[in-house]
Amino acid sequence: MIEILFYVLSFVSIVTGLMVVFAKSPIHSVLSLIVTFFAIAGQYILLNAQFLAIVHIIVYAGAIMVLFLFVLMLLNLNKEAEPNKDIAMKLAGVISASLLMVTLTGALHGSVVPEATLAVNTSNGLVKNLGQVLFKDFVVPFEISSLLFLAAMAGAVLLGKKHPSQITDSEIQKI
Amino acid sequence: MPISIDHYVYLSTVLFCIGVMGVLLRRNAIVLLMCVELMLNAVNLLMAAFSTHFNDPSGQVFVFFIMVVAAAEVAVGLAILVMVYRHAKSVDIGLFNKLKG
């Protein structure tokens, strides 16, 4: 049962991942990526990482993809205005990505992962357990990540703001 | 864990390579950012799989931090793209040719 679920979720994530790359319209790419993220959240649940699954759905499908959709609609980029690269460049891209995949799988094929020494603890991924780890062993990184968010927020606001010299007279009169 | 770790390794490899292919193929900068997200997710999945395999919750905390960084990256990246669009009315990646610093 679990194996069937794994293969179905893998298939969905790979197919929709390919659709992200090959879809003509950026909106279709965004929607395929949302399906990919839900499939990956399903993988997290199969891995007994329930907290990660929920955070993944909230952060990626709920926040990041909405941001992408919002920017696409705001800039009105829905049209398929992408200039075509010549076929040689496309072929080169596909071939080099495939070569990377062949190399990686070839390198990983012979590798042996040591067996787990501890018994499987299915409550590892629950909020209680992860909270203990996060606020005991990883307090400093956690605080630093809050600083990172502050910097990102300030940077996004600063970049998104119009420079005063770009505001036209008609806009001033509206105000 | 009923599914062997190898399966997760191969799945993550394939997803990562799809992301790389997207970065190499597409011209639209927003789609490029999405492909970077796909690569980050492949790595996240691998890290969660190994965390479960070795029964060590630290790996899941790392995934959490990667999500934090990804969210910050997308916020700043999209702000930059909106600014580029305002100047050039396009988000084609070829525009970044002009950045000769």
Side-chain angles (χ1 to χ4, degrees), chain A residues 21 23 37 56 82 116 119 124, chain B residues 24 26-27 37 41 53 55:
Chain A
V21 176
F37 285 161
H56 190 265
E82 201 164 329
N124 253 347
Chain B
L24 291 175
R26 297 304 295 261
R27 300 290 304 260
E37 291 300 311
N41 267 285
H53 181 75
N55 203 10

Side-chain angles (χ1 to χ4, degrees), chain A residues 37-82:
Chain A
F37 285 161
F38 273 102
I40 291 176
Q43 300 276 16
Y44 286 148
I45 292 175
L46 285 189
L47 283 167
N48 274 319
Q50 292 92 345
F51 173 70
L52 273 190
I54 298 298
V55 169
H56 190 265
I57 288 178
I58 293 173
V59 171
Y60 276 104
I64 293 182
M65 297 325 288
V66 170
L67 204 62
F68 272 114
L69 265 181
F70 184 74
V71 169
L72 273 177
M73 303 236 172
L74 187 76
L75 302 186
N76 201 12
L77 291 173
N78 195 13
K79 53 189 181 296
E80 301 157 10
E82 201 164 329

Side-chain angles (χ1 to χ4, degrees), chain A residues 5-47:
Chain A
L5 264 178
F6 172 82
Y7 285 117
V8 169
L9 286 174
S10 309
F11 181 74
V12 169
S13 56
I14 289 173
V15 168
T16 51
L18 284 173
M19 277 164 66
V20 172
V21 176
F22 291 110
K24 288 270 182 251
S25 147
I27 296 282
H28 290 163
S29 293
V30 174
L31 296 178
S32 320
L33 196 55
I34 291 175
V35 179
T36 314
F37 285 161
F38 273 102
I40 291 176
Q43 300 276 16
Y44 286 148
I45 292 175
L46 285 189
L47 283 167

Side-chain angles (χ1 to χ4, degrees), chain A residues 125-158:
Chain A
L126 296 182
V127 179
K128 186 182 172 190
N129 217 320
L130 276 185
Q132 295 274 357
V133 178
L134 183 61
F135 291 111
K136 271 184 185 158
D137 302 341
F138 292 91
V139 178
V140 179
F142 182 75
E143 297 293 338
I144 292 174
S145 70
S146 73
L147 273 182
L148 176 76
F149 259 133
L150 191 67
M153 190 179 73
V157 170
L158 202 70

Side-chain angles (χ1 to χ4, degrees), chain B residues 66-87:
Chain B
I66 294 179
M67 282 182 191
V68 167
V69 174
E73 173 235 321
V74 165
V76 176
L78 285 178
I80 291 175
L81 285 186
V82 169
M83 204 178 65
V84 168
Y85 183 80
R86 240 185 240 150
H87 278 274

